[in-house]
Amino acid sequence: MAFFPFFIDISDKKILIAGGGNVALRKAEKLLPFGAAITVVAPAVCGEFSRLPGITTIQRGFRDGDIEDAFAVIAATDDRALNSRIYKLCTERGILVNTVDDPENCGFYFPALVRAGSVTAGISTGGTSPIFARYVREILTAALDEKTLAAGDILVRYRPVIRQMFDTEEQRKNAAEKLLELCVSGGGIPTDNEITELLESL
C-alpha cells in the first residue's frame, strides 16, 4: 500500500518516545532538527541521548498518563506487549503513534529522509523495500548539491521580484522556469546583473 506523504510543522509539538535504546535514539535524531518538544521515558536511557540538546528524559517505566497532550508517540521499548498497549492507548485517544519494527501497529511511518538547506524529502516504499528507499535517498542526496541548493535560494529571493514584474500567473511561471534554467545551466551561479537581464528580456 502507498502512503500519502503529509508534511506537518512539528515545532514545539510534544512528542513522547517510550524507550531509551538505540532505536529510540535514532527516532529522536530524526525529529530533533524539526523543533519538536521531545520527551523520552524509559527505565534506562542510553548515554548518547545526553548529546542531544533540548530533550527531556524521564528514567522510569512508561505510565498511561505519559501520552497526555502528546501530538505523537513512538513506542520503542524492547517489550512487544507494552508497545502494543501504547499503540492501543494512542489509537483510542486519536494520537498519532509509531511502533518500531511493527508496521501493523503504526498510525504513521518514518520515511527515509533527505534534508539539505530548505529542502526536505521523504521516501517510502510502503514498507516493502527499505533498501530501495535508502538507494533513492542516496540519489536525492547527491542531486541536492551546492549548485542546486543555490538555485533554490535564488528562486526564493527573486519570487517577490517576479510577482512585481509580471502580471499573470502564466508569465510568472515562465519567468521562474527561465530563471531556474539559468541557475542550473552549465555556467556558474548567475550574478544579480545576469538575472536582471534575463527577467527584463522576457
Side-chain angles (χ1 to χ4, degrees):
M1 179 189 296
F3 301 114
F4 187 83
F6 279 108
F7 282 81
I8 301 173
D9 180 7
I10 61 170
S11 55
D12 298 321
K13 295 279 197 306
K14 177 184 174 181
I15 296 184
L16 176 77
I17 300 178
N22 289 327
V23 174
L25 177 69
R26 289 197 296 272
K27 301 299 186 185
E29 288 173 330
K30 281 190 172 185
L31 292 166
L32 197 59
F34 298 92
I38 301 171
T39 298
V40 176
V41 176
V45 177
C46 72
E48 292 295 307
F49 273 104
S50 64
R51 66 177 174 78
L52 301 182
I55 290 184
T56 301
T57 57
I58 302 173
Q59 290 193 236
R60 60 162 170 75
F62 171 82
R63 298 172 185 168
D64 291 2
D66 290 334
I67 68 171
E68 200 69 34
D69 299 324
F71 174 76
V73 174
I74 298 162
T77 78
D78 56 5
D79 183 335
R80 193 172 183 86
L82 175 57
N83 287 346
S84 181
R85 182 160 69 88
I86 293 171
Y87 170 77
K88 183 179 179 183
L89 285 169
C90 291
T91 301
E92 289 172 350
R93 289 163 175 76
I95 299 171
L96 291 168
V97 58
N98 173 272
T99 307
V100 298
D101 298 327
D102 189 358
E104 297 295 320
N105 286 327
C106 283
F108 75 96
Y109 301 86
F110 277 79
L113 279 178
V114 176
R115 188 164 183 255
S118 62
V119 178
T120 301
I123 304 120
S124 171
T125 59
T128 59
S129 181
I131 290 174
F132 184 66
R134 287 197 296 270
Y135 170 72
V136 175
R137 180 182 62 190
E138 290 169 2
I139 293 172
L140 284 178
T141 299
L144 291 172
D145 56 15
E146 182 180 352
K147 185 175 182 179
T148 303
L149 293 174
D153 291 340
I154 288 170
L155 286 168
V156 170
R157 185 155 52 93
Y158 274 87
R159 186 177 183 188
V161 176
I162 289 172
R163 290 182 64 84
Q164 188 173 16
M165 288 182 68
F166 300 96
D167 296 327
T168 70
E169 284 303 314
E170 189 62 31
Q171 289 172 328
R172 293 167 181 168
K173 177 184 175 184
N174 178 63
E177 288 175 347
K178 295 297 184 184
L179 177 54
L180 178 59
E181 288 174 13
L182 176 66
C183 291
V184 298
S185 63
I189 296 170
T191 65
D192 288 337
N193 285 340
E194 289 173 327
I195 293 171
T196 300
E197 287 178 10
L198 168 72
L199 296 178
E200 289 179 346
S201 70
L202 298 176

